[in-house]
Amino acid sequence: MSQLVDRTITALRSEHDKLADLARTLTDDQLATTSGAAEWTVAQVLSHLGSGAEIGRAPIARAAGETVTAEDNQTIWARWDASAPRAQAEGFLEYNTRWLDTVEALTPEQRSSLTVDLGFLPEPVPLVTALGMRLNEVANHSWDVRVAFDADAGVDADSAAVLVDILAGPLGFMLGFLGKPAELAEPVSLAVPGAGLMIDDTVSVVDHLESPSATFNGPQEAFVRLISGRLKAPYDNGVTIDGNSTLDDLRRVFRGF
């Protein structure tokens, strides 16, 4: 599990560096462009990631022994929402860097043993779960920003590989919130690159399938976007499903966030 923690932190650093490089070049007009999350502008996506970093750093820092005094979430969100688009972009750069500095400084022992009280789950979770939830947010919302300027953008391949492994393990519980299995008329066992997706009464990602009922023809990053509700036209070029399901069926199961 410690290797998965390290891979997740590495992916998060790579995501930040790429998105930060882009964010620094954006004009005011580009910040006001509609993102891949159609209800948000590019600046609002960066604001969401920045406020999430500000809120999310505190419980990890506390778990590592730091004394942290933080505003309540509603106050933080209100401050970010009231900021101008340029300030939202600059705030993302500042607060996401702070978040990364905190997790990258964790010792090997802390990476393997820390549990984190995120505040909205019934009990503290292993560090890998907290990091995986953050990577799921960052990888998909980074795509939201990049696709506004490049219709062929995909989720970063390394991040996608880590997310598939995490969804098959410590982050599997999130599929209960992301998936609506009742939308399907019959169970589906879907072969996907490097894993499998089971949809019956519940939704789960597994390491592999012996006899899948359908096959996902596309890269891992497209599968990650399917799970997050982002595999929609015109961003689904070249992706097909063979077997007892269709892309439209699966898009009904995964409506997105």
Side-chain angles (χ1 to χ4, degrees), residues 8 12 39 59 69-70 81 86 118 120 124 157 163 196 199 209 220:
T8 306
L12 282 158
E39 70 278 13
T69 302
D81 289 345
R86 178 63 55 189
L118 295 173
F120 57 85
L163 282 171
I199 308 174
L209 292 170
Q220 273 190 330

Side-chain angles (χ1 to χ4, degrees), residues 152-231:
D152 295 323
V155 168
D156 179 84
D158 289 338
S159 293
V162 174
L163 282 171
V164 169
D165 287 346
I166 292 177
L167 287 167
L171 219 59
F173 72 93
M174 280 189 59
L175 294 165
F177 302 101
L178 297 174
K180 308 296 181 186
E183 291 292 331
L184 295 186
E186 62 179 330
V188 172
S189 56
L190 183 71
V192 302
L197 177 69
M198 297 287 297
I199 308 174
D200 41 38
D201 292 335
T202 61
V203 180
S204 60
V205 173
V206 296
D207 292 337
H208 69 282
L209 292 170
E210 293 295 338
S211 301
S213 66
T215 300
F216 182 94
N217 302 304
Q220 273 190 330
E221 73 82 16
F223 173 64
V224 167
R225 286 193 289 116
L226 170 68
I227 295 295
S228 68
R230 286 166 170 78
L231 192 59

